[in-house]
Amino acid sequence: MRLPSGYGRDLIAGTVLTTLLVPQGMAYAELAGLPAITGLYTSILCLLAYAVVGPSKVLVLGPDSSLGPMIAAVILPMVVAGDDPGRAVALASMLALMTGVLLTVASVAKLGFVADLLSRPTQLGYINGLALTILIGQLPKLFGFSVDADGLFAETAGFVRGVADGETVPAALAIGAAGLLLILLLRRYAPKIPGILVVVVASILAVSVFDLADRGVQVVGTLPRGLPPFTLPSAGWDDLGLLAAGALGITLVSVTDTISTASTFAARSGQEVRGNREMLGIGSANLAVAFFQGFPVSTSGSRTAVAAQAGARSQLTGVAGAALIALMLVLAPGLLRNLPQPILAAVVIAASLSLADAAGARRLWRQRRVEFSLAVAAFLGVALLGVLPGIAVAVGFSVLNVFRRTWWPYWTVLGRPAGVNGYHDMTSYPEAEQIPGIVIFRFDAPLIFANARTFREEVRALARAEPKPRFIVVAAEPITDVDTTAADMLEDLDAELNAAGISLVFAELKTPVRQKIDRYKLTRSIDPAHFFPTVEDAASALRGGGPTRVGPPPG
């Protein structure tokens, strides 16, 4: 049977993609504190679910390096030492179920804007902190030993102590470091060569030829044969609180990553990103994996790029990848039994290095120091407090930054520069002409409770200047809102200025804002003749000592 035109390329792309899905799925499962096989189960189900529900033709979902530490931070504290790994799997499945429900509800409620809760600077700081956390956490595995510690500093100290005590397995370090170096070199100088596949195949051969397992190198071993059974997620009532908190953080990161990745690839193909449909797609994928021993998933930029480069045109690519993984588990579960654990660590470390964005941090330092400080704060939140608290810190600083800009907005006095039409910021044009007796004041923010006092104090300062103005004209075009607190402030301020022989005047109020002014009945105290459609009209009317024309505000 001949496939329809274009489908052959999708099948080829799916085959290429599988070479990345298998080792990354296993590596990211262990990063999350779960058996490697769960990464393959998760990859199969999420690819199939997204192919049915997801809107994008090329996005690839799966276990993700940025979610792994978050999953581990949630489930590992609830797993008692010596517990069967089944409890960790059950908790991870419940976490996926909660994440899927949250994403689905957010999609139905059209809450795609939640991705905006992580601003670019705080997202940058969080990701850099996450990359460092992943790197430090995988170093012991790369060196052939393990560390029983929690937190960046404890893990760092444990790693240094292990190296100093001679716990390093030379063969493990040799194969792990060589694999990491080869992945990075191929990524840098030969990106079309599947570096991870080359390293996986070479390391399996090395283990077999040189009997590295007998020299202390731990290997994956034979995987369980067959497909994952249908399993209901379960957790105790005492665990639900922490699981819910973790699901919220994972949901936020998943949405942010997915919309960001979708936007990048949609721009290349001329498609439109549908944020709410994307949330439904990844929500459905998480719900699917939850019932087959899986854990939370998100979009993968690296795997999507591989699929696109291989010629993927539809979600048949993901279906082909899922089918090939399933065939491997059914027909050849021992195919990867000699895959060294240090190679899985190398795969994760390579992913963490690709997550880090030092260049972006340097750019923020050059462009805007305040936002660089936000990135540093988010970085320290992850490094010092942990992955989940780090998310809360990042979101908190993003929200505080928005509030700061509204609380202390930019304001300026306007003048008319020689040879330039209109009135402009006197900071940029210090020689601009000012009309005697008139100060034109621009306030670049909605006028609300948070900045009403700032507005009042700045206007009072202008009123105290010498020579004393007769009119203070508010160039109100940037003022997109006036709330009731600000309305009360304006009424009191107008009365205060009138007592000092100064009139408060407004120009360029937007129609919705002027309607609010009328609804608040401010025109009972502020002269209706002191509202002008433009700054030019206000200046012309007031230059002679009073208004000559009043028109409707611009829309």
Side-chain angles (χ1 to χ4, degrees):
M1 181 181 69
R2 184 176 179 179
L3 289 169
S5 176
Y7 285 2
R9 296 186 65 178
D10 284 323
L11 293 179
I12 294 172
T15 304
V16 173
L17 181 63
T18 304
T19 65
L20 189 63
L21 291 172
V22 172
Q24 280 195 345
M26 297 170 69
Y28 296 162
E30 294 196 347
L31 176 63
L34 299 166
I37 186 63
T38 60
L40 301 184
Y41 293 163
T42 300
S43 297
I44 294 172
L45 271 300
C46 73
L47 288 170
L48 294 177
Y50 187 82
V52 174
V53 181
S56 173
K57 294 181 179 180
V58 297
L59 284 188
V60 177
L61 266 65
D64 187 67
S65 59
S66 63
L67 297 189
M70 298 180 67
I71 298 168
V74 175
I75 65 174
L76 292 186
M78 294 186 282
V79 178
V80 179
D83 270 4
D84 188 297
R87 173 164 166 76
V89 173
L91 291 171
S93 297
M94 179 59 75
L95 189 60
L97 178 63
M98 289 182 169
T99 301
V101 169
L102 287 174
L103 286 165
T104 303
V105 170
S107 172
V108 173
K110 301 187 183 303
L111 299 178
F113 63 87
V114 299
D116 299 332
L117 290 177
L118 277 176
S119 67
R120 177 56 185 161
T122 51
Q123 187 179 0
L124 180 70
Y126 168 78
I127 288 297
N128 282 336
L130 190 62
L132 179 61
T133 300
I134 294 172
L135 173 64
I136 296 299
Q138 292 297 305
L139 282 178
K141 189 174 178 180
L142 187 74
F143 278 62
F145 63 92
S146 61
V147 170
D148 185 13
D150 185 24
L152 182 64
F153 292 111
E155 288 182 345
T156 302
F159 169 69
V160 172
R161 188 164 49 248
V163 172
D165 292 343
E167 295 182 28
T168 300
V169 177
L173 177 58
I175 196 169
L180 176 59
L181 181 61
L182 186 55
I183 291 172
L184 297 178
L185 288 175
L186 290 176
R187 178 190 293 171
R188 176 69 176 84
Y189 297 106
K192 292 187 177 180
I193 297 177
I196 293 179
L197 175 63
V198 170
V199 167
V200 166
V201 173
S203 65
I204 291 175
L205 290 175
V207 169
S208 302
V209 172
F210 299 106
D211 295 323
L212 296 183
D214 294 335
R215 301 189 181 189
V217 177
Q218 295 184 0
V219 295
V220 169
T222 301
L223 298 174
R225 181 183 293 274
L227 300 177
F230 178 84
T231 307
L232 289 175
S234 62
W237 287 105
D238 294 340
D239 300 327
L240 294 182
L242 184 56
L243 288 170
L248 282 172
I250 290 171
T251 297
L252 179 59
V253 172
S254 295
V255 171
T256 303
D257 284 349
T258 297
I259 292 179
S260 174
T261 304
S263 300
T264 299
F265 286 92
R268 297 178 184 177
S269 59
Q271 298 176 0
E272 181 180 351
V273 175
R274 292 171 286 175
N276 292 308
R277 281 290 306 278
E278 289 294 354
M279 285 196 296
L280 181 61
I282 56 176
S284 300
N286 277 281
L287 290 174
V289 304
F291 293 98
F292 293 90
Q293 299 184 17
F295 52 89
V297 296
S298 181
T299 302
S300 169
S302 62
R303 277 162 280 181
T304 302
V306 167
Q309 290 170 1
R313 295 182 178 180
S314 75
Q315 283 299 324
L316 180 60
T317 298
V319 173
L324 287 173
I325 297 173
L327 285 174
M328 184 194 75
L329 291 178
V330 171
L331 302 178
L335 185 64
L336 301 175
R337 64 181 180 277
N338 286 332
L339 177 61
Q341 289 285 355
I343 290 298
L344 293 183
V347 170
V348 174
I349 290 174
S352 73
L353 295 177
S354 66
L355 274 178
D357 189 358
R362 289 194 299 269
R363 186 170 61 252
L364 277 182
W365 171 261
R366 292 193 304 268
Q367 294 175 347
R368 190 158 184 170
R369 299 292 173 83
V370 171
E371 296 200 346
F372 175 80
S373 300
L374 292 175
V376 171
F379 173 84
L380 293 176
V382 175
L384 300 178
L385 302 178
V387 176
L388 288 178
I391 277 281
V393 169
V395 171
F397 275 109
S398 291
V399 173
L400 285 175
N401 191 35
V402 173
F403 191 69
R404 177 191 64 84
R405 294 178 181 180
T406 304
W407 195 352
W408 296 303
Y410 181 75
W411 66 270
T412 188
V413 172
L414 306 183
R416 182 188 288 277
V420 181
N421 291 329
Y423 290 82
H424 300 276
D425 189 343
M426 292 195 65
T427 303
S428 301
Y429 298 94
E431 304 301 324
E433 174 192 2
Q434 289 186 276
I435 305 171
I438 301 175
V439 175
I440 303 176
F441 171 67
R442 193 184 73 204
F443 191 76
D444 292 354
L447 196 51
I448 59 174
F449 70 95
N451 57 31
R453 185 177 64 83
T454 300
F455 180 93
R456 181 187 63 202
E457 294 308 314
E458 297 301 340
V459 171
R460 281 176 172 173
L462 295 174
R464 291 193 297 267
E466 293 294 339
K468 186 174 78 172
R470 289 177 294 135
F471 300 98
I472 295 179
V473 179
V474 179
E477 193 274 337
I479 298 178
T480 56
D481 190 18
V482 175
D483 69 5
T484 55
T485 301
D488 291 340
M489 177 275 297
L490 289 175
E491 185 171 16
D492 294 340
L493 180 61
D494 181 65
E496 179 183 322
L497 293 176
N498 288 341
I502 303 171
S503 295
L504 189 62
V505 178
F506 291 87
E508 300 183 356
L509 269 174
K510 297 179 184 296
T511 298
V513 181
R514 176 59 192 271
Q515 290 171 346
K516 290 181 180 179
I517 293 290
D518 292 337
R519 191 159 62 247
Y520 298 151
K521 300 190 183 302
L522 279 179
T523 49
R524 292 180 307 181
S525 54
I526 301 177
D527 190 341
H530 286 168
F531 291 86
F532 293 87
T534 68
V535 172
E536 291 277 2
D537 288 337
S540 298
L542 302 176
R543 189 185 297 269
T548 58
R549 177 169 68 88
V550 178

